[in-house]
Amino acid sequence: MVTVLTKSNIYLGKSLFGIANKVTAPDIEMETATITHGFGSYDVNTAFKSMTSNINIQGFDKDVFNAISNPFGWLNFTIYGALEEYSNESLVGSEQAKLIIRASSKKFSLLGELEQQKNLDYPIDFNVSAAKLYINNKEKYVIDNINQIYRINGVDLLAKVRKDLALQ
């Protein structure tokens, strides 16, 4: 069985932002601290490293450029796609994938990649401070570095930390 992401649309707020031909979701990477004692040492996870994302949009839109050209402003994206499952050549199932990202522009092109008689590819890199993943409207993953939220399948792993820090 093979799963393919197809028909991906990106919304900025409630407005269609673009049609994505490639989306690189943020990687979750941990900061570690090394604990040393008389018998050796080991690493423990202590925090999350900065996250980044990349979106490659088809075509150039001045409204898109205006939205991303302020590197000091935050953008809230919702990316919808269909996760289609194939067995051999047959489509056997489809699920909605929704990725919500809060980000700021990290790198963008003034006009994208131009090639005669082809759709313009417009790659944009983002610094990501929060990401949420839903499959068929069920929350799978939430990470929000600014607000210290980390949930997997609805289980909040940092609730006690936020309480201890008087953030709740």
Side-chain angles (χ1 to χ4, degrees):
M1 182 113 30
V2 176
T3 302
V4 178
L5 176 65
T6 62
K7 302 167 190 70
S8 182
N9 291 331
I10 302 171
Y11 290 82
L12 183 59
K14 295 191 183 268
S15 301
L16 181 63
F17 186 72
I19 309 243
N21 57 9
K22 183 178 180 184
V23 174
T24 304
D27 287 333
I28 309 303
E29 187 177 354
M30 300 301 297
E31 295 275 352
T32 61
T34 301
I35 308 296
T36 304
H37 54 81
F39 298 108
S41 63
Y42 58 95
D43 290 337
V44 294
N45 293 332
T46 57
F48 297 99
K49 289 187 177 182
S50 297
M51 299 181 290
T52 61
S53 181
N54 176 274
I55 299 173
N56 197 7
I57 297 174
Q58 293 178 351
F60 177 82
D61 183 313
K62 64 181 181 191
D63 293 333
V64 170
F65 182 79
N66 288 339
I68 65 161
S69 62
N70 178 1
F72 305 107
W74 287 102
L75 304 166
N76 289 303
F77 293 104
T78 303
I79 303 162
Y80 290 96
L83 290 174
E84 297 179 347
E85 292 183 12
Y86 290 87
S87 179
N88 297 323
E89 294 84 24
S90 299
L91 177 64
V92 294
S94 180
E95 296 180 303
Q96 180 195 65
K98 178 169 69 170
L99 178 62
I100 300 171
I101 296 175
R102 183 179 64 225
S104 62
S105 298
K106 179 178 179 180
K107 178 182 171 185
F108 56 92
S109 172
L110 291 177
L111 195 54
E113 296 178 21
L114 302 170
E115 190 174 337
Q116 285 187 356
Q117 310 302 321
K118 300 257 179 162
N119 280 338
L120 183 125
D121 282 335
Y122 194 78
I124 310 164
D125 292 343
F126 297 98
N127 293 313
V128 177
S129 65
K132 300 176 184 180
L133 175 64
Y134 297 85
I135 304 294
N136 277 345
N137 291 320
K138 292 181 184 167
E139 180 184 288
K140 293 294 181 185
Y141 199 91
V142 175
I143 183 168
D144 184 334
N145 283 344
I146 292 173
N147 296 305
Q148 298 188 31
I149 297 171
Y150 184 60
R151 286 193 309 259
I152 300 173
N153 293 318
V155 177
D156 190 344
L157 301 176
L158 294 179
K160 179 156 179 14
V161 172
R162 286 193 310 278
K163 184 178 179 185
D164 292 344
L165 295 173
L167 297 174
Q168 289 189 17

